[in-house]
Amino acid sequence: MQAVQASSSPHFSIHSSKPPHSSTCSLVTSSVNVKCSGFSLREQSSLWTSYNKRVILKSSFSAKAASVEVGSSSISTGTAEDDVLKALSQIIDPDFGTDIVTCGFVKDLQIDKALGEVSFRLELTTPACPIKDVFEKQANEVVAVLPWVKNVNVTMSAQPAKPLFAEQLPAGLQTISNIIAVSSCKGGVGKSTVAVNLAYTLADMGARVGIFDADIYGPSLPTMVSPENRILEMNPEKKTIIPTEYMGVKLVSFGFAGQGRAIMRGPMVSGVTNQLLTTTEWGELDYLVIDMPPGTGDIQLTLCQIVPLTAAVIVTTPQKLSFIDVAKGVRMFSKLKVPCVAVVENMCHFDADGKRYYPFGRGSGSQVVQQFGIPHLFDLPIRPTLSASGDSGMPEVVADPQGEVSKIFQNLGVCVVQQCAKIRQQVSTAVTYDKSVKAIRVKVPDSDEEFFLHPATVRRNDRSAQSVDEWTGEQKLQYTDIPDYIEPEEIRPMGNYAVSITWPDGFSQIAPYDQLQTMERLVGVS
């Protein structure tokens, strides 16, 4: 393991390496350690403090042992295990609204009741979980109060990095958990500043992070960071790109390709963008932040179509003209089923002589939030240091980790982590097969409605070329071709818009949520 540490900042320290395939970036005792000494959950952000308080204890519960992987050395088969699971079921994940046992966070439970020893691992959805310390403390406390327990050993880890996508992805993207697009659709609003500072905030929270600068015409990343190696290297055997690094964050930009800024036509730019993104050896990443180029043209559509974007962060400024362009980008993401989770309004105000001034007016960010229902708004002030830090090659959150701007990015980082976790949870459970009632259960993300479909109904409504003639619209798949007793073998999510269903005959059906919502539903199933 190679440690990468920022010598210029005593507050920012990340241990980063190419982690082993089976490791999950443990936060306490596993082989991959992440050290976050810059931002304290208990001392810094008031948002984080209030967020910590949301981890509450349930007064009544039922332990769900099926969600727990019990270690082979566990000697208790009944009461002791039930006691531990019942105690841990008091801890509620505030994002999912469910206890950590039901969420499946409790792993490797081992109990020696004779000695009063209990050990287990809490595997969270991300190493950047802002309340991981609270979970660890709560888990120790609720188990320690059991009368027969004398010693509790809790270790913390995170799930392995993997995309929430069913189809085959390019090799470089297969071990990335979340891909975040930072977009504005308007140039000059500070989008690159937000992307870079968000990435380094997520890294300081404990995540493995990469940044992809998707602007081929005017790459900003080489100006905003200062890696020792400023030229991308190729793996001659695999014909892949090896990203450069700065303070533990992996970086890819056309500006590091030795070409400077490009002069080429749109189709060529789309090809270069695709190659840079998909042939890079990103390794295991919890978050890949994509600094999107301005506009809603070929490049943006190409990026949205070739990668499974988890979510988007929208950057705007107070001017009305900025809102008009940003609105186009929000609509683009909406059509592509990419949820926009936050709006960052840059250059909002500055303070002077004890007063706050808004030189560009007010309301653009709020208008985006209100019109499109994006839940979170973050205001960035006009600060010379924010611009200067970008030009100097050291992001503001690294240069001044205790400053006001850094605290805003801390809050944004918490928001992104929370929202990505919610999205992944919703998508992974949106469409499932309930064997007890032999029906497909559907609960589309961002909808409170839940309904059931007969498997044969779903299979008979396939609209692919194998079932419907693309030219004439003639139905090739006949009703009687599908038996009533058919059951799906596997259901896997496909990003935020559909699922892939594998049937016993080997057919893989793509079923968009929109189509599932129009099918005839089963009545009286619950």
Side-chain angles (χ1 to χ4, degrees):
M1 178 181 297
Q2 180 185 3
V4 180
Q5 184 166 342
S7 58
S8 58
S9 174
H11 301 288
F12 193 97
S13 175
I14 302 174
H15 285 223
S16 177
S17 68
K18 293 183 178 178
H21 295 298
S22 60
S23 178
T24 57
C25 193
S26 171
L27 301 172
V28 179
T29 60
S30 77
S31 60
V32 182
N33 289 315
V34 180
K35 178 182 177 186
C36 300
S37 59
F39 305 143
S40 169
L41 284 173
R42 287 183 278 271
E43 297 175 0
Q44 298 301 321
S45 169
S46 60
L47 173 73
W48 289 22
T49 302
S50 62
Y51 183 78
N52 289 347
K53 293 177 181 178
R54 293 170 56 206
V55 182
I56 59 175
L57 299 181
K58 286 199 300 184
S59 58
S60 62
F61 43 79
S62 60
K64 297 176 176 58
S67 299
V68 182
E69 295 179 5
V70 183
S72 58
S73 62
S74 173
I75 64 170
S76 175
T77 58
T79 305
E81 181 182 317
D82 290 343
D83 287 348
V84 173
L85 296 179
K86 188 176 181 180
L88 292 173
S89 294
Q90 300 175 76
I91 305 174
I92 307 299
D93 186 299
D95 290 333
F96 302 150
T98 309
D99 66 84
I100 63 173
V101 176
T102 303
C103 287
F105 292 168
V106 182
K107 307 288 184 180
D108 304 332
L109 175 59
Q110 297 184 358
I111 300 172
D112 190 329
K113 191 170 183 180
L115 297 177
E117 294 183 349
V118 178
S119 66
F120 54 90
R121 177 170 56 91
L122 293 184
E123 184 184 76
L124 305 181
T125 56
T126 170
C129 176
I131 54 171
K132 54 181 176 277
D133 292 345
V134 178
F135 276 141
E136 182 181 3
K137 181 174 181 292
Q138 293 274 6
N140 269 295
E141 290 176 349
V142 297
V143 176
V145 298
L146 296 174
W148 56 270
V149 173
K150 297 179 182 178
N151 183 43
V152 182
N153 180 26
V154 183
T155 58
M156 305 293 291
S157 68
Q159 294 175 1
K162 59 181 179 180
L164 193 61
F165 198 76
E167 296 303 287
Q168 184 65 34
L169 291 171
L173 304 179
Q174 291 178 4
T175 52
I176 301 175
S177 290
N178 302 282
I179 302 180
I180 313 299
V182 178
S183 176
S184 67
C185 297
K186 176 154 185 74
V189 299
K191 172 178 46 59
S192 297
T193 297
V194 171
V196 170
N197 282 279
L198 171 61
Y200 280 91
T201 298
L202 292 171
D204 196 58
M205 292 170 66
R208 295 163 293 184
V209 182
I211 305 175
F212 177 66
D213 182 358
D215 195 342
I216 304 299
Y217 291 121
S220 302
L221 201 58
T223 302
M224 305 192 73
V225 295
S226 304
E228 184 176 344
N229 182 7
R230 299 185 63 84
I231 300 294
L232 295 174
E233 298 179 358
M234 291 287 294
N235 184 323
E237 296 180 0
K238 298 180 180 179
K239 304 298 182 183
T240 54
I241 298 170
I242 301 173
T244 187
E245 281 193 23
Y246 178 62
M247 301 178 68
V249 175
K250 296 182 178 181
L251 312 168
V252 170
S253 170
F254 189 71
F256 293 136
Q259 302 293 326
R261 287 165 169 77
I263 302 176
M264 61 181 75
R265 294 188 181 276
M268 293 178 62
V269 173
S270 296
V272 171
T273 303
N274 189 350
Q275 182 181 6
L276 284 173
L277 178 60
T278 61
T279 64
T280 292
E281 295 182 13
W282 291 107
E284 290 197 1
L285 294 181
D286 300 296
Y287 302 92
L288 174 62
V289 177
I290 298 184
D291 181 6
M292 299 281 284
T296 54
D298 289 343
I299 302 172
Q300 290 76 17
L301 292 175
T302 298
L303 283 169
C304 292
Q305 290 169 351
I306 65 175
V307 299
L309 294 176
T310 308
V313 173
I314 305 300
V315 183
T316 185
T317 54
Q319 296 95 326
K320 181 179 179 180
L321 184 60
S322 179
F323 168 78
I324 293 172
D325 286 346
V326 165
K328 297 177 184 176
V330 176
R331 294 189 183 98
M332 177 189 72
F333 286 121
S334 177
K335 289 183 178 180
L336 296 170
K337 306 299 183 183
V338 177
C340 297
V341 297
V343 175
V344 178
E345 187 172 7
N346 193 20
M347 296 180 282
C348 285
H349 54 75
F350 67 90
D351 297 329
D353 302 324
K355 297 181 180 180
R356 175 157 291 184
Y357 298 90
Y358 297 85
F360 303 120
R362 305 176 67 174
S364 175
S366 299
Q367 193 173 356
V368 174
V369 170
Q370 293 170 5
Q371 182 166 331
F372 297 103
I374 302 174
H376 304 284
L377 174 64
F378 300 88
D379 295 340
L380 281 175
I382 300 173
R383 286 290 170 84
T385 56
L386 184 57
S387 175
S389 62
D391 294 340
S392 69
M394 179 177 290
E396 175 76 357
V397 297
V398 179
D400 184 15
Q402 310 299 330
E404 179 187 358
V405 170
S406 293
K407 291 179 180 179
I408 295 171
F409 277 107
Q410 290 173 29
N411 295 342
L412 175 61
V414 171
C415 171
V416 168
V417 169
Q418 288 179 285
Q419 295 301 314
C420 285
K422 287 182 180 180
I423 290 167
R424 290 180 66 88
Q425 177 73 4
Q426 289 174 346
V427 170
S428 64
T429 59
V431 182
T432 56
Y433 182 62
D434 190 333
K435 291 186 177 181
S436 64
V437 295
K438 296 187 181 301
I440 294 177
R441 170 189 167 276
V442 181
K443 190 177 188 303
V444 176
D446 296 326
S447 172
D448 295 329
E449 182 184 29
E450 179 179 285
F451 56 92
F452 290 84
L453 301 173
H454 195 289
T457 300
V458 176
R459 178 68 177 85
R460 288 165 180 157
N461 277 275
D462 176 57
R463 304 302 298 170
S464 69
Q466 296 186 47
S467 302
V468 179
D469 189 291
E470 293 182 281
W471 294 100
T472 66
E474 179 184 356
Q475 186 76 33
K476 295 191 293 185
L477 178 69
Q478 301 302 313
Y479 185 93
T480 54
D481 293 340
I482 306 300
D484 290 334
Y485 54 80
I486 193 170
E487 296 183 66
E489 288 189 342
E490 184 181 21
I491 300 177
R492 299 175 296 167
M494 286 192 63
N496 300 315
Y497 74 98
V499 291
S500 173
I501 306 175
T502 303
W503 299 98
D505 59 2
F507 181 71
S508 181
Q509 177 182 357
I510 306 302
Y513 297 148
D514 292 346
Q515 184 187 10
L516 292 175
Q517 289 176 304
T518 65
M519 294 182 188
E520 182 181 357
R521 304 178 182 184
L522 291 172
V523 180
V525 180
S526 61

mmCIF file with all atom_site columns, all heavy atoms in Angstrom, residues 410-430:
data_model
loop_
_atom_site.group_PDB
_atom_site.id
_atom_site.type_symbol
_atom_site.label_atom_id
_atom_site.label_alt_id
_atom_site.label_comp_id
_atom_site.label_asym_id
_atom_site.label_entity_id
_atom_site.label_seq_id
_atom_site.pdbx_PDB_ins_code
_atom_site.Cartn_x
_atom_site.Cartn_y
_atom_site.Cartn_z
_atom_site.occupancy
_atom_site.B_iso_or_equiv
_atom_site.pdbx_formal_charge
_atom_site.auth_seq_id
_atom_site.auth_comp_id
_atom_site.auth_asym_id
_atom_site.auth_atom_id
_atom_site.pdbx_PDB_model_num
ATOM 1   N N   . GLN A 1 410 ? -18.513 20.802 3.115  1.00 0.00 ? 410 GLN A N   1
ATOM 2   C CA  . GLN A 1 410 ? -18.769 19.667 4.001  1.00 0.00 ? 410 GLN A CA  1
ATOM 3   C C   . GLN A 1 410 ? -20.248 19.310 3.979  1.00 0.00 ? 410 GLN A C   1
ATOM 4   O O   . GLN A 1 410 ? -20.632 18.141 3.875  1.00 0.00 ? 410 GLN A O   1
ATOM 5   C CB  . GLN A 1 410 ? -18.330 19.995 5.430  1.00 0.00 ? 410 GLN A CB  1
ATOM 6   C CG  . GLN A 1 410 ? -16.830 20.095 5.637  1.00 0.00 ? 410 GLN A CG  1
ATOM 7   C CD  . GLN A 1 410 ? -16.503 20.585 7.028  1.00 0.00 ? 410 GLN A CD  1
ATOM 8   O OE1 . GLN A 1 410 ? -17.253 20.362 7.976  1.00 0.00 ? 410 GLN A OE1 1
ATOM 9   N NE2 . GLN A 1 410 ? -15.383 21.264 7.164  1.00 0.00 ? 410 GLN A NE2 1
ATOM 10  N N   . ASN A 1 411 ? -21.079 20.339 4.082  1.00 0.00 ? 411 ASN A N   1
ATOM 11  C CA  . ASN A 1 411 ? -22.528 20.112 4.059  1.00 0.00 ? 411 ASN A CA  1
ATOM 12  C C   . ASN A 1 411 ? -22.982 19.539 2.720  1.00 0.00 ? 411 ASN A C   1
ATOM 13  O O   . ASN A 1 411 ? -23.840 18.660 2.663  1.00 0.00 ? 411 ASN A O   1
ATOM 14  C CB  . ASN A 1 411 ? -23.267 21.415 4.358  1.00 0.00 ? 411 ASN A CB  1
ATOM 15  C CG  . ASN A 1 411 ? -23.017 21.923 5.758  1.00 0.00 ? 411 ASN A CG  1
ATOM 16  O OD1 . ASN A 1 411 ? -22.569 21.176 6.633  1.00 0.00 ? 411 ASN A OD1 1
ATOM 17  N ND2 . ASN A 1 411 ? -23.276 23.198 5.992  1.00 0.00 ? 411 ASN A ND2 1
ATOM 18  N N   . LEU A 1 412 ? -22.401 20.059 1.631  1.00 0.00 ? 412 LEU A N   1
ATOM 19  C CA  . LEU A 1 412 ? -22.710 19.523 0.310  1.00 0.00 ? 412 LEU A CA  1
ATOM 20  C C   . LEU A 1 412 ? -22.273 18.069 0.211  1.00 0.00 ? 412 LEU A C   1
ATOM 21  O O   . LEU A 1 412 ? -22.991 17.225 -0.345 1.00 0.00 ? 412 LEU A O   1
ATOM 22  C CB  . LEU A 1 412 ? -22.030 20.361 -0.776 1.00 0.00 ? 412 LEU A CB  1
ATOM 23  C CG  . LEU A 1 412 ? -22.170 19.852 -2.214 1.00 0.00 ? 412 LEU A CG  1
ATOM 24  C CD1 . LEU A 1 412 ? -23.634 19.811 -2.647 1.00 0.00 ? 412 LEU A CD1 1
ATOM 25  C CD2 . LEU A 1 412 ? -21.350 20.722 -3.172 1.00 0.00 ? 412 LEU A CD2 1
ATOM 26  N N   . GLY A 1 413 ? -21.098 17.762 0.751  1.00 0.00 ? 413 GLY A N   1
ATOM 27  C CA  . GLY A 1 413 ? -20.613 16.386 0.733  1.00 0.00 ? 413 GLY A CA  1
ATOM 28  C C   . GLY A 1 413 ? -21.529 15.446 1.476  1.00 0.00 ? 413 GLY A C   1
ATOM 29  O O   . GLY A 1 413 ? -21.826 14.333 1.008  1.00 0.00 ? 413 GLY A O   1
ATOM 30  N N   . VAL A 1 414 ? -22.000 15.869 2.654  1.00 0.00 ? 414 VAL A N   1
ATOM 31  C CA  . VAL A 1 414 ? -22.948 15.057 3.418  1.00 0.00 ? 414 VAL A CA  1
ATOM 32  C C   . VAL A 1 414 ? -24.214 14.825 2.601  1.00 0.00 ? 414 VAL A C   1
ATOM 33  O O   . VAL A 1 414 ? -24.752 13.711 2.543  1.00 0.00 ? 414 VAL A O   1
ATOM 34  C CB  . VAL A 1 414 ? -23.292 15.739 4.757  1.00 0.00 ? 414 VAL A CB  1
ATOM 35  C CG1 . VAL A 1 414 ? -24.442 15.022 5.456  1.00 0.00 ? 414 VAL A CG1 1
ATOM 36  C CG2 . VAL A 1 414 ? -22.072 15.768 5.675  1.00 0.00 ? 414 VAL A CG2 1
ATOM 37  N N   . CYS A 1 415 ? -24.701 15.881 1.955  1.00 0.00 ? 415 CYS A N   1
ATOM 38  C CA  . CYS A 1 415 ? -25.908 15.778 1.128  1.00 0.00 ? 415 CYS A CA  1
ATOM 39  C C   . CYS A 1 415 ? -25.718 14.765 0.005  1.00 0.00 ? 415 CYS A C   1
ATOM 40  O O   . CYS A 1 415 ? -26.585 13.903 -0.224 1.00 0.00 ? 415 CYS A O   1
ATOM 41  C CB  . CYS A 1 415 ? -26.270 17.146 0.561  1.00 0.00 ? 415 CYS A CB  1
ATOM 42  S SG  . CYS A 1 415 ? -27.591 17.125 -0.682 1.00 0.00 ? 415 CYS A SG  1
ATOM 43  N N   . VAL A 1 416 ? -24.602 14.839 -0.694 1.00 0.00 ? 416 VAL A N   1
ATOM 44  C CA  . VAL A 1 416 ? -24.345 13.931 -1.814 1.00 0.00 ? 416 VAL A CA  1
ATOM 45  C C   . VAL A 1 416 ? -24.269 12.488 -1.328 1.00 0.00 ? 416 VAL A C   1
ATOM 46  O O   . VAL A 1 416 ? -24.837 11.578 -1.935 1.00 0.00 ? 416 VAL A O   1
ATOM 47  C CB  . VAL A 1 416 ? -23.055 14.341 -2.546 1.00 0.00 ? 416 VAL A CB  1
ATOM 48  C CG1 . VAL A 1 416 ? -22.615 13.252 -3.523 1.00 0.00 ? 416 VAL A CG1 1
ATOM 49  C CG2 . VAL A 1 416 ? -23.263 15.651 -3.291 1.00 0.00 ? 416 VAL A CG2 1
ATOM 50  N N   . VAL A 1 417 ? -23.572 12.278 -0.214 1.00 0.00 ? 417 VAL A N   1
ATOM 51  C CA  . VAL A 1 417 ? -23.463 10.920 0.341  1.00 0.00 ? 417 VAL A CA  1
ATOM 52  C C   . VAL A 1 417 ? -24.833 10.375 0.715  1.00 0.00 ? 417 VAL A C   1
ATOM 53  O O   . VAL A 1 417 ? -25.190 9.236  0.384  1.00 0.00 ? 417 VAL A O   1
ATOM 54  C CB  . VAL A 1 417 ? -22.525 10.922 1.566  1.00 0.00 ? 417 VAL A CB  1
ATOM 55  C CG1 . VAL A 1 417 ? -22.613 9.590  2.315  1.00 0.00 ? 417 VAL A CG1 1
ATOM 56  C CG2 . VAL A 1 417 ? -21.089 11.179 1.135  1.00 0.00 ? 417 VAL A CG2 1
ATOM 57  N N   . GLN A 1 418 ? -25.629 11.182 1.406  1.00 0.00 ? 418 GLN A N   1
ATOM 58  C CA  . GLN A 1 418 ? -26.971 10.770 1.813  1.00 0.00 ? 418 GLN A CA  1
ATOM 59  C C   . GLN A 1 418 ? -27.841 10.430 0.603  1.00 0.00 ? 418 GLN A C   1
ATOM 60  O O   . GLN A 1 418 ? -28.493 9.378  0.559  1.00 0.00 ? 418 GLN A O   1
ATOM 61  C CB  . GLN A 1 418 ? -27.649 11.883 2.604  1.00 0.00 ? 418 GLN A CB  1
ATOM 62  C CG  . GLN A 1 418 ? -27.121 12.108 3.999  1.00 0.00 ? 418 GLN A CG  1
ATOM 63  C CD  . GLN A 1 418 ? -27.864 13.260 4.649  1.00 0.00 ? 418 GLN A CD  1
ATOM 64  O OE1 . GLN A 1 418 ? -27.629 14.424 4.329  1.00 0.00 ? 418 GLN A OE1 1
ATOM 65  N NE2 . GLN A 1 418 ? -28.760 12.946 5.542  1.00 0.00 ? 418 GLN A NE2 1
ATOM 66  N N   . GLN A 1 419 ? -27.871 11.339 -0.361 1.00 0.00 ? 419 GLN A N   1
ATOM 67  C CA  . GLN A 1 419 ? -28.766 11.169 -1.493 1.00 0.00 ? 419 GLN A CA  1
ATOM 68  C C   . GLN A 1 419 ? -28.349 9.983  -2.370 1.00 0.00 ? 419 GLN A C   1
ATOM 69  O O   . GLN A 1 419 ? -29.218 9.250  -2.863 1.00 0.00 ? 419 GLN A O   1
ATOM 70  C CB  . GLN A 1 419 ? -28.812 12.458 -2.325 1.00 0.00 ? 419 GLN A CB  1
ATOM 71  C CG  . GLN A 1 419 ? -29.402 13.651 -1.595 1.00 0.00 ? 419 GLN A CG  1
ATOM 72  C CD  . GLN A 1 419 ? -30.829 13.387 -1.130 1.00 0.00 ? 419 GLN A CD  1
ATOM 73  O OE1 . GLN A 1 419 ? -31.654 12.882 -1.876 1.00 0.00 ? 419 GLN A OE1 1
ATOM 74  N NE2 . GLN A 1 419 ? -31.118 13.730 0.112  1.00 0.00 ? 419 GLN A NE2 1
ATOM 75  N N   . CYS A 1 420 ? -27.059 9.785  -2.552 1.00 0.00 ? 420 CYS A N   1
ATOM 76  C CA  . CYS A 1 420 ? -26.604 8.631  -3.337 1.00 0.00 ? 420 CYS A CA  1
ATOM 77  C C   . CYS A 1 420 ? -26.981 7.329  -2.643 1.00 0.00 ? 420 CYS A C   1
ATOM 78  O O   . CYS A 1 420 ? -27.384 6.355  -3.301 1.00 0.00 ? 420 CYS A O   1
ATOM 79  C CB  . CYS A 1 420 ? -25.092 8.701  -3.563 1.00 0.00 ? 420 CYS A CB  1
ATOM 80  S SG  . CYS A 1 420 ? -24.582 9.923  -4.782 1.00 0.00 ? 420 CYS A SG  1
ATOM 81  N N   . ALA A 1 421 ? -26.841 7.303  -1.316 1.00 0.00 ? 421 ALA A N   1
ATOM 82  C CA  . ALA A 1 421 ? -27.217 6.093  -0.570 1.00 0.00 ? 421 ALA A CA  1
ATOM 83  C C   . ALA A 1 421 ? -28.708 5.814  -0.720 1.00 0.00 ? 421 ALA A C   1
ATOM 84  O O   . ALA A 1 421 ? -29.128 4.668  -0.914 1.00 0.00 ? 421 ALA A O   1
ATOM 85  C CB  . ALA A 1 421 ? -26.842 6.248  0.899  1.00 0.00 ? 421 ALA A CB  1
ATOM 86  N N   . LYS A 1 422 ? -29.524 6.864  -0.641 1.00 0.00 ? 422 LYS A N   1
ATOM 87  C CA  . LYS A 1 422 ? -30.970 6.692  -0.805 1.00 0.00 ? 422 LYS A CA  1
ATOM 88  C C   . LYS A 1 422 ? -31.312 6.197  -2.204 1.00 0.00 ? 422 LYS A C   1
ATOM 89  O O   . LYS A 1 422 ? -32.151 5.301  -2.377 1.00 0.00 ? 422 LYS A O   1
ATOM 90  C CB  . LYS A 1 422 ? -31.685 8.020  -0.542 1.00 0.00 ? 422 LYS A CB  1
ATOM 91  C CG  . LYS A 1 422 ? -31.744 8.434  0.919  1.00 0.00 ? 422 LYS A CG  1
ATOM 92  C CD  . LYS A 1 422 ? -32.510 9.737  1.061  1.00 0.00 ? 422 LYS A CD  1
ATOM 93  C CE  . LYS A 1 422 ? -32.578 10.184 2.508  1.00 0.00 ? 422 LYS A CE  1
ATOM 94  N NZ  . LYS A 1 422 ? -33.321 11.460 2.656  1.00 0.00 ? 422 LYS A NZ  1
ATOM 95  N N   . ILE A 1 423 ? -30.675 6.781  -3.201 1.00 0.00 ? 423 ILE A N   1
ATOM 96  C CA  . ILE A 1 423 ? -30.951 6.388  -4.588 1.00 0.00 ? 423 ILE A CA  1
ATOM 97  C C   . ILE A 1 423 ? -30.602 4.928  -4.805 1.00 0.00 ? 423 ILE A C   1
ATOM 98  O O   . ILE A 1 423 ? -31.379 4.158  -5.392 1.00 0.00 ? 423 ILE A O   1
ATOM 99  C CB  . ILE A 1 423 ? -30.180 7.293  -5.563 1.00 0.00 ? 423 ILE A CB  1
ATOM 100 C CG1 . ILE A 1 423 ? -30.761 8.712  -5.546 1.00 0.00 ? 423 ILE A CG1 1
ATOM 101 C CG2 . ILE A 1 423 ? -30.218 6.722  -6.981 1.00 0.00 ? 423 ILE A CG2 1
ATOM 102 C CD1 . ILE A 1 423 ? -29.887 9.736  -6.239 1.00 0.00 ? 423 ILE A CD1 1
ATOM 103 N N   . ARG A 1 424 ? -29.435 4.515  -4.332 1.00 0.00 ? 424 ARG A N   1
ATOM 104 C CA  . ARG A 1 424 ? -29.019 3.125  -4.509 1.00 0.00 ? 424 ARG A CA  1
ATOM 105 C C   . ARG A 1 424 ? -29.971 2.173  -3.799 1.00 0.00 ? 424 ARG A C   1
ATOM 106 O O   . ARG A 1 424 ? -30.310 1.100  -4.317 1.00 0.00 ? 424 ARG A O   1
ATOM 107 C CB  . ARG A 1 424 ? -27.593 2.938  -3.994 1.00 0.00 ? 424 ARG A CB  1
ATOM 108 C CG  . ARG A 1 424 ? -26.530 3.616  -4.857 1.00 0.00 ? 424 ARG A CG  1
ATOM 109 C CD  . ARG A 1 424 ? -25.143 3.395  -4.286 1.00 0.00 ? 424 ARG A CD  1
ATOM 110 N NE  . ARG A 1 424 ? -24.758 1.997  -4.345 1.00 0.00 ? 424 ARG A NE  1
ATOM 111 C CZ  . ARG A 1 424 ? -24.161 1.413  -5.383 1.00 0.00 ? 424 ARG A CZ  1
ATOM 112 N NH1 . ARG A 1 424 ? -23.905 2.123  -6.476 1.00 0.00 ? 424 ARG A NH1 1
ATOM 113 N NH2 . ARG A 1 424 ? -23.823 0.149  -5.351 1.00 0.00 ? 424 ARG A NH2 1
ATOM 114 N N   . GLN A 1 425 ? -30.400 2.565  -2.599 1.00 0.00 ? 425 GLN A N   1
ATOM 115 C CA  . GLN A 1 425 ? -31.331 1.716  -1.846 1.00 0.00 ? 425 GLN A CA  1
ATOM 116 C C   . GLN A 1 425 ? -32.666 1.608  -2.583 1.00 0.00 ? 425 GLN A C   1
ATOM 117 O O   . GLN A 1 425 ? -33.244 0.524  -2.700 1.00 0.00 ? 425 GLN A O   1
ATOM 118 C CB  . GLN A 1 425 ? -31.529 2.293  -0.449 1.00 0.00 ? 425 GLN A CB  1
ATOM 119 C CG  . GLN A 1 425 ? -32.528 1.536  0.424  1.00 0.00 ? 425 GLN A CG  1
ATOM 120 C CD  . GLN A 1 425 ? -32.002 0.208  0.918  1.00 0.00 ? 425 GLN A CD  1
ATOM 121 O OE1 . GLN A 1 425 ? -30.840 -0.130 0.677  1.00 0.00 ? 425 GLN A OE1 1
ATOM 122 N NE2 . GLN A 1 425 ? -32.845 -0.556 1.595  1.00 0.00 ? 425 GLN A NE2 1
ATOM 123 N N   . GLN A 1 426 ? -33.167 2.729  -3.073 1.00 0.00 ? 426 GLN A N   1
ATOM 124 C CA  . GLN A 1 426 ? -34.453 2.731  -3.769 1.00 0.00 ? 426 GLN A CA  1
ATOM 125 C C   . GLN A 1 426 ? -34.385 1.928  -5.057 1.00 0.00 ? 426 GLN A C   1
ATOM 126 O O   . GLN A 1 426 ? -35.292 1.141  -5.366 1.00 0.00 ? 426 GLN A O   1
ATOM 127 C CB  . GLN A 1 426 ? -34.878 4.172  -4.075 1.00 0.00 ? 426 GLN A CB  1
ATOM 128 C CG  . GLN A 1 426 ? -35.289 4.972  -2.859 1.00 0.00 ? 426 GLN A CG  1
ATOM 129 C CD  . GLN A 1 426 ? -35.566 6.426  -3.203 1.00 0.00 ? 426 GLN A CD  1
ATOM 130 O OE1 . GLN A 1 426 ? -35.210 6.912  -4.271 1.00 0.00 ? 426 GLN A OE1 1
ATOM 131 N NE2 . GLN A 1 426 ? -36.208 7.138  -2.293 1.00 0.00 ? 426 GLN A NE2 1
ATOM 132 N N   . VAL A 1 427 ? -33.302 2.109  -5.807 1.00 0.00 ? 427 VAL A N   1
ATOM 133 C CA  . VAL A 1 427 ? -33.178 1.412  -7.086 1.00 0.00 ? 427 VAL A CA  1
ATOM 134 C C   . VAL A 1 427 ? -32.997 -0.086 -6.877 1.00 0.00 ? 427 VAL A C   1
ATOM 135 O O   . VAL A 1 427 ? -33.569 -0.906 -7.601 1.00 0.00 ? 427 VAL A O   1
ATOM 136 C CB  . VAL A 1 427 ? -32.005 2.002  -7.902 1.00 0.00 ? 427 VAL A CB  1
ATOM 137 C CG1 . VAL A 1 427 ? -31.705 1.146  -9.125 1.00 0.00 ? 427 VAL A CG1 1
ATOM 138 C CG2 . VAL A 1 427 ? -32.328 3.427  -8.330 1.00 0.00 ? 427 VAL A CG2 1
ATOM 139 N N   . SER A 1 428 ? -32.208 -0.463 -5.876 1.00 0.00 ? 428 SER A N   1
ATOM 140 C CA  . SER A 1 428 ? -31.936 -1.890 -5.656 1.00 0.00 ? 428 SER A CA  1
ATOM 141 C C   . SER A 1 428 ? -33.174 -2.645 -5.208 1.00 0.00 ? 428 SER A C   1
ATOM 142 O O   . SER A 1 428 ? -33.263 -3.861 -5.381 1.00 0.00 ? 428 SER A O   1
ATOM 143 C CB  . SER A 1 428 ? -30.817 -2.055 -4.628 1.00 0.00 ? 428 SER A CB  1
ATOM 144 O OG  . SER A 1 428 ? -31.223 -1.547 -3.362 1.00 0.00 ? 428 SER A OG  1
ATOM 145 N N   . THR A 1 429 ? -34.148 -1.953 -4.630 1.00 0.00 ? 429 THR A N   1
ATOM 146 C CA  . THR A 1 429 ? -35.366 -2.613 -4.141 1.00 0.00 ? 429 THR A CA  1
ATOM 147 C C   . THR A 1 429 ? -36.611 -2.197 -4.922 1.00 0.00 ? 429 THR A C   1
ATOM 148 O O   . THR A 1 429 ? -37.724 -2.516 -4.519 1.00 0.00 ? 429 THR A O   1
ATOM 149 C CB  . THR A 1 429 ? -35.577 -2.298 -2.650 1.00 0.00 ? 429 THR A CB  1
ATOM 150 O OG1 . THR A 1 429 ? -35.687 -0.874 -2.477 1.00 0.00 ? 429 THR A OG1 1
ATOM 151 C CG2 . THR A 1 429 ? -34.412 -2.807 -1.815 1.00 0.00 ? 429 THR A CG2 1
ATOM 152 N N   . ALA A 1 430 ? -36.430 -1.498 -6.039 1.00 0.00 ? 430 ALA A N   1
ATOM 153 C CA  . ALA A 1 430 ? -37.581 -0.976 -6.792 1.00 0.00 ? 430 ALA A CA  1
ATOM 154 C C   . ALA A 1 430 ? -38.432 -2.100 -7.371 1.00 0.00 ? 430 ALA A C   1
ATOM 155 O O   . ALA A 1 430 ? -39.662 -2.041 -7.340 1.00 0.00 ? 430 ALA A O   1
ATOM 156 C CB  . ALA A 1 430 ? -37.110 -0.042 -7.894 1.00 0.00 ? 430 ALA A CB  1
#
